[in-house]
Amino acid sequence: MTSLPSVVPAGDRSPTSPIPAGALALSALYVLILAYPAHLHVVGVFSDFYVRYAPDADLIARGQFPGNTYNPPGYPLLLVVLSSALTGDHFTSAKWLSLVAAGLSGLLAFQLFRRLFGPWPAVLAVPILLSSGPFNRYAISAMTEVPFLCVCLAALLVVTADRPTGWRFAALAGVVCGVAYLLRYNGAFLLVPGLVAMLWREGTRASRARLAALYLGVFALVAAPWWWLNYVHHGSPFYSTNHEDTARALGLHGGGRPFGSVAGVILADPVRFAWRYTLHALWTLFQSFGASFAVLPVGPLAAAGMVLSVVRDRRRPVLLVLSGMASFILLMALTHWETRYFFLLLACYSGFAAFAIFEIARWVGRVRESGLAMGAVVAVVTLWILVPSIPNAVRSVRVTLSRQPVELLPAARHLHSVARPDATVMSLRAQIAYLSRRQWRDMPGANSVDELKTLLSANPPDYLVYDRWARRLAKPLAPLGTPDGSVPWLVPVYRDEEAQLVVYAVRLERR
């Protein structure tokens, strides 16, 4: 009476159970449904792809060192492989990679939470995750967030496993965690649950220490080629410019001198850093339980599920996942909040929320002495989450498609035909420069067209683009939206009146 349905008890993990097939069907159906929107997604909204990832893929393909100093080169390298073998285009490779990774994330989340809580909560976690509006936005977008989530879930699945044992377990965990690190530096958070998993096993203290050393060694071996190249080009194996985000997120300043590392940010004012970091970590945790990821019941239910899992069932896999979540939050509190950075928490919250739903249902079933009441609780709460979540997901996909700047495609083709190969294209976003295969320059902030001329006079670009981002973010430059000849140093070479897009040739003498 207190389990759902008796033919498949809550703890059953038999390979003949229909539940894994159901999770597979949900994930496969999800990919099939989004395949058509992904096909319609032809140019990205997010400039990061065109500033960092696609250009780095081009550099790597030519045997050159990547230029992105915020993330390691794992993702661009993956784009090179996919583009050369399958699609021939980095954006196409990236959007399909995100969609496939989204479907795999559903399967991996199911496997992970079946290990933690049994098959019924695990299968419920899949639609909670896949119906998230923000998650769907990135599931069809050319960005790193969903592939990174997929690899992180795989890493957690490995470190919470009982098999394989011994050195095979440590080596496999080190490889998967190292791959996550090479996709995004944030993958370093996996060192915490990984080390806990190595040290919290059967055997002598010396054998566990050897497993931990092997895990760290394999992790370092996977990352070593990048560390060496980073050292050769930047003088440090761990060089990155993420410290700039840390300083901005915590409101810290270097007294007129730029910070050179995260350690420099900390040491500049340790007391102020500690205080602001603590507040930011608490705010990040609070923010994650809100409606940023999914409809509001998910966050509070996830919190309840975490408490219940610790109070009632302090099992090793549960505590390993919780340690990973804690290390992830502590690491990510060093930077600003953006929902896309925290999809790992969305996946984990989906599992803990599903666990809480079933625990609440079992409690109701015991009190009411009714299996029907228990099933009704599960059904009602599930519908409470999914009925608004699914329309939100559909709306998120539609908005993503409606915002893609398709007007840049013919403009980029025109630029490609008229601009010399070494021409520079100035705009607020890098899409048109990359699509035209020309060098991008960011547009400086200016309070008027005359001030813009002054800022550009020392080193003018070859072309300047007034587009949707300039209309929204550079309103003082609104006169550029009407190429009536009032700005003599800008000559329009392409115009899309409907999209209010103008490409100018810049006629300023170089000094």
Side-chain angles (χ1 to χ4, degrees), residues 423-439:
T424 55
V425 179
M426 176 171 284
S427 59
L428 278 174
R429 294 292 186 269
Q431 283 90 332
I432 190 169
Y434 182 81
L435 292 169
S436 63
R437 300 296 177 179
R438 299 303 185 265
Q439 183 180 350

Side-chain angles (χ1 to χ4, degrees), residues 53-199:
Y53 304 123
D56 273 7
D58 291 335
L59 290 171
I60 291 172
R62 295 195 297 266
Q64 297 175 309
F65 188 76
N68 181 11
T69 56
Y70 284 92
N71 286 299
Y75 182 72
L77 182 60
L78 191 55
L79 294 184
V80 172
V81 174
L82 293 175
S83 298
S84 61
L86 298 174
T87 68
D89 174 73
H90 296 323
F91 182 83
T92 302
S93 298
K95 69 177 182 180
W96 290 115
L97 175 62
S98 290
L99 181 56
V100 172
L104 287 175
S105 294
L107 283 177
L108 292 169
F110 168 77
Q111 294 291 349
L112 178 64
F113 290 108
R114 181 170 67 163
R115 179 173 296 160
L116 269 60
F117 306 125
W120 286 103
V123 79
L124 178 55
V126 176
I128 294 177
L129 168 62
L130 298 183
S131 65
S132 163
F135 182 79
N136 279 270
R137 183 184 186 191
Y138 288 88
I140 63 169
S141 296
M143 293 290 278
T144 63
E145 279 70 24
V146 178
F148 177 68
L149 167 66
C150 183
V151 178
C152 287
L153 288 173
L156 290 176
L157 193 61
V158 171
V159 301
T160 57
D162 294 325
R163 296 288 184 275
T165 57
W167 69 267
R168 293 181 182 86
F169 167 70
L172 180 60
V175 168
V176 181
C177 295
V179 170
Y181 173 82
L182 289 178
L183 284 178
R184 295 185 70 93
Y185 285 128
N186 303 339
F189 85 92
L190 290 165
L191 288 173
V192 173
L195 282 173
V196 174
M198 299 306 125
L199 297 172

Side-chain angles (χ1 to χ4, degrees), residues 1 50 52 55 84 90 108 115 136 141 165 210 261 266 278 297 322-323 332 359 368 370 404 426 477:
M1 185 177 299
Y50 297 97
R52 298 188 176 97
S84 61
H90 296 323
L108 292 169
R115 179 173 296 160
N136 279 270
S141 296
T165 57
R210 285 194 294 270
S261 64
I266 298 172
T278 301
L322 288 173
S323 72
M332 295 304 295
E359 289 300 296
R368 303 290 296 179
S370 168
Q404 59 176 334
M426 176 171 284
L477 304 181

Side-chain angles (χ1 to χ4, degrees), residues 247-395:
R248 283 192 295 267
L250 301 181
L252 299 172
H253 306 282
R257 292 182 299 176
F259 294 114
S261 64
V262 174
V265 176
I266 298 172
L267 296 176
D269 192 339
V271 174
R272 191 177 184 188
F273 170 85
W275 173 245
R276 294 203 171 188
Y277 170 73
T278 301
L279 293 179
H280 198 256
L282 293 173
W283 182 87
T284 299
L285 179 62
F286 174 78
Q287 179 85 351
S288 71
F289 287 120
S292 298
F293 296 134
V295 292
L296 192 57
V298 173
L301 284 170
M306 285 184 274
V307 172
L308 287 171
S309 67
V310 172
V311 171
R312 298 183 53 185
D313 188 14
R314 292 184 291 275
R315 296 174 56 244
R316 178 178 176 274
V318 173
L319 296 180
L320 285 174
V321 171
L322 288 173
S323 72
M325 293 169 62
S327 64
F328 181 79
I329 290 173
L330 291 174
L331 177 64
M332 295 304 295
L334 290 169
T335 190
H336 59 283
W337 171 275
E338 282 191 42
T339 303
R340 63 190 177 102
Y341 294 165
F342 293 85
F343 282 157
L344 178 74
L345 295 184
L346 166 65
C348 292
Y349 287 1
S350 298
F352 281 99
F355 170 69
I357 291 171
F358 277 86
E359 289 300 296
I360 293 169
R362 291 189 181 100
W363 178 79
V364 172
R366 286 195 296 268
V367 172
R368 303 290 296 179
E369 297 185 350
S370 168
L372 182 62
M374 181 176 61
V377 170
V378 173
V380 168
V381 179
T382 299
L383 291 174
W384 184 16
I385 294 171
L386 296 185
V387 168
S389 292
I390 293 174
N392 285 345
V394 173
R395 190 179 308 113

